Amino acid sequence: MMKTELRFWGAAGCVTGSKYLISNQQGRILVDCGLFQGLKSLRALNRASWEIPPADIAAVVLTHGHLDHVGLLPRLVREGFRGKIYGTRPTLAIARIILEDSAKIQMEEAEKALKEGYSRHAKPEPLYSLEDVANTLPLFSSVETGEWIALPVPGWRVRYTPNGHILGSCFIEMDAGGTRVVFSGDIGRREDLLLPPPGRPRRADVLLLESTYGNRLHPDLDMEAELAAQIKGTITDRGTCIIPSFAVERLQAIMLILLKLRQRNRIPRLPVYIDSPMGTNVFELFGRFPNWHKLSRSDFQEMKREFLIVSDYSETWKAIDDPRPKVVVAGSGMLSGGRVLTYLAQLLDREETRILLMGYQAEGTRGRNLLEGARELKIFGKYIRVAAGIHHYESLSAHADQEEILWWTAGMENQPGHIFLVHGEPTAADALRVKLFAERGWVARIPNLGESVRF
């Protein structure tokens, strides 16, 4: 039998840059093509040379549309990839929004760094441009869930099943040379505000399992009560409550909670600014893909009416200058870029400001630095003193915790012969490894970045 090789190009020993190359003598398939975020050593990999020419990859298969799973596609295409890029319709719609936003941010930051002279490079260059994104989009090919789809490698096929992480997200079963390989993608929550519970695989010979929260359980908090208390405190302090938010799913969940608080008169009326052009665009996808979520049509319409949607950058400054107590929900969730940085540059050094960090903060990001007690943050080349109150909540995480990961794997009829714990920092992955062995007798491995295995 022809051997199959699996290479861990990303999300091995870390939570970003998801990329797995699976191949045999007849072809190569790339599962996800994500951007590295966080630590500088990881971000440098976004510009590293490909181990093989992108033109030699037959197709890309996407689990979902987050930046750390799709963000390097334009570079792959610019450097020679010409195959199809498979994903569900919502995934491809989200990927388009995210890639265009990513290109704009990179181009703007390169221009700003050149103008203000805070880059180490004589001429800062974006990782890719809007033109590169435009050249990527024609390769998108939508798939239906629950159906086997032939891949451009003889005898290989894939099947998509929703896994409850974000709109359109799925785990992927791949039949590769007689071996069933399951890529978990990012597994969602069993009980989520917006999405149905994840589907589960029935069997796997090889399992790539995410481990983002492999070492912890999400707290059982009443997020309505928590947000209500923070907003009332903001009013008392006459300050600003800034909620950095991931544009996909988290922003929409926060909007829904704020709407429910208003509907139930649990918070006074105050300005609520939604300042995430990408998040606003993703919000519109909830109208296009109603079968993928639980949000009612009436709540969807009311959320559009109730909040101050910021579109133009000049409106960001009007929101900052608004003297009233206010709430600002802005991207990005780990403070790695986006509109939230403008708010932080102006308001982080004020004691009446509150920062509510929602969900996972990757190592090396500004969000993680705040959680670890940083007294200043570098924003736009300048150091800003941290005087704001910092609060962290994980109850709205879109990632399964340890217990939910165990539940997700409990539906399997067999014990996978190979289990690789990916998309997690070493401590989290190792805790999940120990738990899987203690409860199931399953032996799992934590692969190294760049490692190759054969089966």
Side-chain angles (χ1 to χ4, degrees):
M1 183 180 293
M2 192 180 303
K3 284 285 187 180
T4 300
E5 181 180 30
L6 177 64
R7 300 189 195 188
F8 297 90
W9 276 3
C14 59
V15 295
T16 65
S18 288
K19 284 183 287 293
Y20 309 108
L21 186 73
I22 183 167
S23 60
N24 65 16
Q25 294 175 356
Q26 294 180 299
R28 299 179 174 93
I29 302 294
L30 185 62
V31 179
D32 286 339
C33 188
L35 197 73
F36 284 101
Q37 299 166 288
L39 294 172
K40 184 177 180 180
S41 59
L42 290 176
R43 287 185 279 116
L45 296 175
N46 292 324
R47 297 181 185 270
S49 299
W50 301 100
E51 289 184 23
I52 62 168
D56 291 349
I57 298 172
V60 177
V61 178
L62 301 177
T63 60
H64 64 287
H66 270 149
L67 187 66
D68 62 326
H69 292 257
V70 306
L72 215 56
L73 284 170
R75 188 189 157 208
L76 189 78
V77 172
R78 187 185 65 215
E79 298 181 15
F81 175 77
R82 294 296 180 267
K84 289 184 177 180
I85 299 170
Y86 296 100
T88 63
R89 285 183 175 85
T91 287
L92 298 181
I94 289 169
R96 175 175 186 160
I97 292 169
I98 282 182
L99 292 176
E100 289 177 344
D101 184 78
S102 175
K104 288 177 184 176
I105 289 173
Q106 290 178 55
M107 293 168 72
E108 289 170 359
E109 288 185 348
E111 183 178 348
K112 186 179 179 69
L114 179 63
K115 182 179 178 181
E116 299 185 9
Y118 60 79
S119 173
R120 295 181 181 179
H121 304 283
K123 186 181 179 182
E125 295 286 348
L127 187 61
Y128 49 79
S129 67
L130 283 168
E131 181 181 359
D132 295 324
V133 175
N135 292 333
T136 301
L137 300 180
L139 303 181
F140 282 5
S141 181
S142 64
V143 301
E144 299 297 329
T145 60
E147 299 178 1
W148 285 103
I149 300 142
L151 291 172
V153 175
W156 286 24
R157 60 180 188 165
V158 292
R159 180 169 62 182
Y160 279 69
T161 302
N163 68 351
H165 176 60
I166 66 169
L167 204 67
S169 70
C170 289
F171 72 84
I172 292 172
E173 298 167 283
M174 181 182 295
D175 281 349
T179 301
R180 174 70 56 84
V181 186
V182 173
F183 299 86
S184 75
D186 291 358
I187 305 165
R189 310 293 304 280
R190 290 183 69 180
E191 295 183 11
D192 187 83
L193 279 173
L194 296 174
L195 301 180
R200 299 190 289 179
R202 298 296 296 275
R203 78 174 181 88
D205 300 312
V206 179
L207 173 63
L208 278 75
L209 181 64
E210 82 134 312
S211 57
T212 311
Y213 284 107
N215 60 340
R216 69 187 78 175
L217 303 179
H218 293 313
D220 185 18
L221 286 179
D222 182 345
M223 279 307 301
E224 285 193 18
E226 292 291 330
L227 271 182
Q230 292 288 357
I231 290 169
K232 289 174 182 176
T234 297
I235 293 172
T236 299
D237 295 341
R238 299 200 59 78
T240 301
C241 180
I242 301 175
I243 308 178
S245 178
F246 301 105
V248 186
E249 225 67 41
R250 190 68 47 76
L251 181 138
Q252 296 81 27
I254 292 168
M255 289 174 69
L256 181 60
I257 293 174
L258 291 172
L259 176 66
K260 296 300 183 185
L261 290 174
R262 280 191 173 181
Q263 289 175 336
R264 296 165 185 166
N265 295 317
R266 296 185 66 181
I267 57 172
R269 296 193 71 85
L270 80 169
V272 177
Y273 292 94
I274 308 297
D275 196 346
S276 173
M278 181 169 61
T280 303
N281 290 335
V282 170
F283 180 60
E284 294 300 327
L285 297 183
F286 279 73
R288 282 178 53 190
F289 301 107
N291 294 332
W292 279 87
H293 62 81
K294 301 187 295 188
L295 184 64
S296 71
R297 186 70 183 172
S298 60
D299 282 345
F300 175 74
Q301 294 296 342
E302 194 165 353
M303 286 161 73
K304 293 174 70 174
R305 290 191 300 266
E306 277 289 306
F307 304 118
L308 301 169
I309 308 296
V310 176
S311 53
D312 189 82
Y313 191 52
S314 63
E315 296 174 359
T316 296
W317 288 97
K318 291 180 181 178
I320 290 171
D321 292 337
D322 186 341
R324 297 172 294 177
K326 56 187 176 289
V327 175
V328 174
V329 185
S332 67
M334 292 188 287
L335 315 183
S336 55
R339 294 278 180 88
V340 74
L341 295 185
T342 303
Y343 291 92
L344 294 181
Q346 302 300 316
L347 302 172
L348 185 62
D349 62 351
R350 302 185 186 182
E351 294 182 358
E352 65 269 23
T353 299
R354 294 168 184 242
I355 313 294
L356 311 188
L357 298 171
M358 301 287 186
Y360 189 78
Q361 305 296 313
E363 189 177 7
T365 62
R366 294 183 184 90
R368 174 67 76 88
N369 291 342
L370 284 181
L371 288 184
E372 293 177 348
R375 295 188 176 185
E376 58 183 11
L377 286 188
K378 189 177 183 180
I379 301 173
F380 303 141
K382 299 178 181 178
Y383 285 94
I384 311 298
R385 183 175 68 94
V386 178
I390 310 300
H391 308 270
H392 185 215
Y393 298 100
E394 294 180 354
S395 294
L396 289 184
S397 175
H399 285 271
D401 63 13
Q402 185 188 83
E403 186 177 86
E404 290 165 323
I405 294 171
L406 292 172
W407 168 83
W408 189 80
T409 59
M412 289 191 181
E413 299 169 347
N414 72 311
Q415 176 179 334
H418 302 274
I419 303 171
F420 301 103
L421 302 182
V422 296
H423 204 285
E425 292 179 4
T427 302
D430 193 58
L432 182 59
R433 179 190 65 80
V434 171
K435 192 73 171 179
L436 283 168
F437 184 76
E439 292 207 355
R440 304 262 174 82
W442 288 13
V443 177
R445 286 190 52 217
I446 303 170
N448 296 314
L449 197 60
E451 182 179 347
S452 294
V453 296
R454 292 194 172 200
F455 45 82

